[in-house]
Amino acid sequence: MTTALEDHPQSAVLQIASDTPQGSSDKARIRIPCTFQGMEGKRLVLETSERVPPSTVVSVEYSDALFLGDVMSCTHTVMDFWQIEIHVKQVLSGLESLMALRAGLLGGAVPQPFGLVPAGARN
């Protein structure tokens, strides 16, 4: 599958785990705005204003998907931008996939969607 949006770049968010604890034992996440440039096979290409070192584990929020992978390369381009190539290891799309992952990570059951309730029903 090849996806290229060079004529109409789309905004995305690159996330990196930080070593700085936030609150308790949770790690903070650094959120870097970026532009989705395209995807070919398992290679995702982004453009951002910040350098991200190779081998960094990242997640990318784009459209209705969450891409998980690691940085393969980070190349300086014109006008102080960086082109980042990410080797995608997993793609989660839609709310159901994210809820299943959350349940797996937290050891709980997968929540079921709410059923329809008549407008006049009382809780």
Side-chain angles (χ1 to χ4, degrees):
M1 174 178 138
T2 302
T3 305
L5 300 170
E6 295 167 8
D7 294 339
H8 303 287
Q10 301 292 319
S11 63
V13 176
L14 178 71
Q15 292 187 60
I16 305 169
S18 170
D19 291 332
T20 307
Q22 179 183 17
S24 61
S25 62
D26 294 335
K27 289 191 173 194
R29 290 215 163 257
I30 299 170
R31 294 177 57 87
I32 302 170
C34 58
T35 304
F36 180 90
Q37 296 295 312
M39 184 166 181
E40 185 173 335
K42 292 191 174 249
R43 184 177 65 94
L44 174 66
V45 180
L46 305 172
E47 185 175 78
T48 185
S49 60
E50 296 188 38
R51 181 184 180 281
V52 179
S55 301
T56 302
V57 176
V58 297
S59 65
V60 177
E61 295 176 15
Y62 172 68
S63 188
D64 189 30
L66 180 65
F67 298 87
L68 306 174
D70 52 357
V71 176
M72 295 171 30
S73 68
C74 186
T75 309
H76 192 256
T77 63
V78 294
M79 299 177 54
D80 291 327
F81 283 101
W82 296 89
Q83 182 174 4
I84 300 172
E85 292 187 25
I86 297 170
H87 177 249
V88 177
K89 296 188 177 180
Q90 187 170 13
V91 180
L92 303 172
S93 61
L95 185 56
E96 290 179 332
S97 297
L98 295 176
M99 288 178 10
L101 175 64
R102 183 179 121 198
L105 292 173
L106 299 176
V110 176
Q112 298 300 314
F114 293 108
L116 297 175
V117 178
R122 297 177 58 116
N123 292 352

